[in-house]
Amino acid sequence: MVRCSSITMFSIYFLVFVDLFQLSFVFPILPRICENFGGGATQVGMLGSVAAFGEGFAAPILGAWADKHGRRIVFIMACVGSIISSVVIGFANTYLFLLVARFVNGCCGGTMGVAAAFIADVTDDEERPSYMTYFQAAIFSGLSVGPAVGGFIDHLAGYKATCFASAGVCALNLFFVYFFIPDSRQIAATAAPVAEAPAAEAPAAEAALAR
């Protein structure tokens, strides 16, 4: 049985969803943003690529940090970084500034590996595959919903409002992480003695039967 509450698992899936949402929400509005800076297709492609590069660059670093200092603190730092970078994208006044903001945005979205490690910490071998399917569903949901919502808000209120809305979703993500996600290493550590107890009692039971 999973060793945490349902709201904690929901918060993990929501975290993964928002990681991909905040990376992809800007896709429909990238061409218009680049036009404001005199850019073309190359600049649009670079903005898309630099975020993915940032995520790949940060993933092993965040994973090592999470192993050393705990999963929860990495989640909190990534959420705060996502809020800031989303707001910065909305206020960017040069293409280089926008490029750096997208890179930071990608780095803050590199927590999927840490989220997968959290799920591994709180599940056993038999139930883990079923929980990982929801993890994958959160990934694809974020990638699919992000561009649709970004394009819709841009149509209603402009691209700056889209960026600020993304920051708001990231702030909601931070709320769930801060209040509902404990450090999974502590959960695993407290569960280990319970799991070892029956194994320790087995030899004593066998000895009693032998008598």
Side-chain angles (χ1 to χ4, degrees):
M1 185 176 179
V2 65
R3 296 184 291 273
C4 64
S5 66
S6 297
I7 188 64
T8 295
M9 294 305 297
F10 170 82
S11 300
I12 286 293
Y13 297 138
F14 187 70
L15 170 76
V16 175
F17 170 84
V18 173
D19 279 350
L20 277 300
F21 175 91
Q22 58 98 16
L23 282 178
S24 63
F25 81 98
V26 77
F27 287 167
I29 61 178
L30 284 180
R32 193 155 64 83
I33 294 176
C34 287
E35 285 178 5
N36 294 338
F37 302 126
T42 300
Q43 285 70 30
V44 172
M46 288 179 63
L47 284 176
S49 297
V50 74
F53 175 77
E55 185 168 353
F57 173 80
I61 298 174
L62 293 177
W65 184 272
D67 289 339
K68 184 177 181 180
H69 300 285
R71 323 281 188 216
R72 185 172 183 270
I73 186 63
V74 171
F75 292 148
I76 292 174
M77 291 170 56
C79 288
V80 172
S82 295
I83 295 169
I84 294 172
S85 59
S86 294
V87 172
V88 168
I89 291 172
F91 284 116
N93 53 10
T94 66
Y95 178 76
L96 181 60
F97 196 33
L98 182 62
L99 202 65
V100 172
R102 281 293 288 168
F103 176 77
V104 174
N105 202 232
C107 290
C108 295
T111 56
M112 286 186 293
V114 181
F118 184 101
I119 295 173
D121 288 341
V122 300
T123 57
D124 56 36
D125 295 339
E126 291 77 16
E127 64 189 0
R128 190 167 302 132
S130 64
Y131 285 95
M132 291 304 295
T133 58
Y134 294 113
F135 173 81
Q136 292 176 323
I139 292 175
F140 294 122
S141 297
L143 285 173
S144 60
V145 173
V149 173
F152 179 72
I153 297 177
D154 176 61
H155 175 72
L156 292 178
Y159 80 87
K160 287 190 176 183
T162 306
C163 297
F164 301 151
S166 175
V169 174
C170 293
L172 179 62
N173 196 24
L174 176 61
F175 172 83
F176 279 105
V177 169
Y178 188 84
F179 288 103
F180 299 116
I181 297 183
D183 192 341
S184 62
R185 299 186 308 168
Q186 295 178 357
I187 297 174
T190 54
V194 176
E196 291 172 1
E201 293 170 0
E206 292 177 359
L209 290 173
R211 294 191 195 125

